[in-house]
């Protein structure tokens, strides 16, 4: 996800992706007459207190860096919670080489709700954390808590899993959740090694080439990354607009329609390499990325805590978790 961005490429991408957008899009993509006339389904309430507790539990394990005891224990806990919430759980255990030659023992965790349904929505987040604080001023070589970067997306997905399990009324589609591993072990910008392609998002690269179900398909996917910080703002990311523009419109319209316009902003952001990029490019499934983008500070667009030790529970906001979680439930229940 958060690897180097070439400014010329960004300018070209933004020009290509967003040229021709008119002001009507600001109110959301135009829907068919049938969709407009469809009665809105009331989704269950998303419990932000519970989601916050799920984030705190992950942080309590310690940094979830691959090949560590904290990483293993967190993975076991995620699997146990998903099974507790009635999901059909699959684990993909595999090895991958990091940019520095380290062999990483990784596992993607996949949870399926209503696995027999033909129409499916795919939700995803990464559950590993950065092995070093390469953007910090001190303790650069030490791992970070990753409360927002990793922990928040997992917390929202686990709360959605709990909600789906306990809800009296179930959604009309099947829901799959993929907890990707090895997303945040990418090569730092200040590395002494020659730049290497595709060192980020190792779990989504593996899953996209080796899906947990042969010929697996989903109508679309939604990735959550850094979705818990106080006053977070989510802009429309470039690769999401390139590969899955109608899904961006669907989700942003949903968020705005249920009262979260302060979070889901009709602003365009540069294309970034995150798990959704490989799901789109290699996996052939349209997936968007809900990710914080600090529009007021292009020099630190992922927030002042990104890849720093300040990415701890102090930055997590229940209001932000609520905005994202409730929006996703609204989308799922109105399919």
């Amino acid at each position: 996800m958060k690897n180097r961005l070439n400014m010329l490429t960004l300018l070209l991408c933004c020009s290509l992706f967003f040229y021709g957008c008119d002001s009507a899009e600001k109110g959301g993509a135009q829907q068919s007459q049938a969709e407009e006339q469809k009665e809105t389904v009331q989704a269950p309430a998303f419990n932000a207190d519970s989601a916050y507790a799920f984030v705190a539990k992950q942080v309590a394990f310690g940094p979830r860096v691959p090949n560590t005891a904290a990483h293993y224990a967190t993975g076991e806990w995620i699997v146990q919670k998903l099974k507790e919430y009635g999901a059909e759980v699959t684990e993909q255990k595999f090895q991958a080489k990091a940019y520095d030659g380290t062999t990483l023992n990784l596992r993607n965790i996949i949870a399926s709700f209503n696995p027999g349904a033909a129409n499916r929505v795919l939700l995803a987040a990464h559950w590993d954390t950065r092995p070093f604080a390469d953007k910090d001023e001190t303790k650069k070589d030490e791992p970070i808590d990753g409360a927002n970067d990793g922990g928040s997306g997992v917390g929202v997905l686990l709360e959605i899993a709990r909600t789906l399990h306990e809800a009296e009324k179930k959604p009309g589609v099947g829901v799959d959740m993929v907890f990707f591993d090895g997303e945040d072990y990418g090569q730092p910008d200040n590395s002494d090694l020659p730049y290497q392609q595709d060192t980020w998002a190792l779990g989504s690269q593996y899953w996209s080439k080796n899906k947990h179900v042969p010929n697996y398909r989903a109508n679309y996917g939604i990735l959550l990354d850094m979705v818990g910080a106080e006053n977070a703002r989510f802009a429309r990311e470039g690769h999401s607009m390139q590969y899955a523009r109608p899904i961006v419109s669907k989700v942003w319209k949903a968020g705005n329609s249920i009262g979260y316009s302060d979070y889901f902003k009709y602003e365009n952001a540069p294309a970034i390499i995150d798990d959704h990029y490989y799901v789109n490019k290699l996996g052939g499934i349209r997936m968007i990325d809900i990710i914080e983008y600090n529009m007021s500070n292009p020099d630190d667009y992922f927030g002042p805590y990104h890849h720093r030790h300040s990415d701890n529970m102090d930055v997590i906001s229940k209001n932000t978790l609520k905005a994202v979680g409730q929006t996703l439930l609204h989308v799922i229940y109105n399919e």
Side-chain angles (χ1 to χ4, degrees), residues 220-231:
Y220 59 85
I222 302 173
L223 174 67
L224 306 181
D225 198 353
M226 298 191 292
V227 293
E230 183 77 32
N231 297 320

Side-chain angles (χ1 to χ4, degrees), residues 52 55-56 59 145-148 228-231 305 309-318:
Y52 184 91
V55 179
V59 172
D145 284 349
N148 193 36
E230 183 77 32
N231 297 320
Y305 28 74
H309 292 294
S310 53
D311 185 1
N312 53 41
M313 289 304 298
D314 290 342
V315 309
I316 300 300
S317 163
K318 293 179 183 179

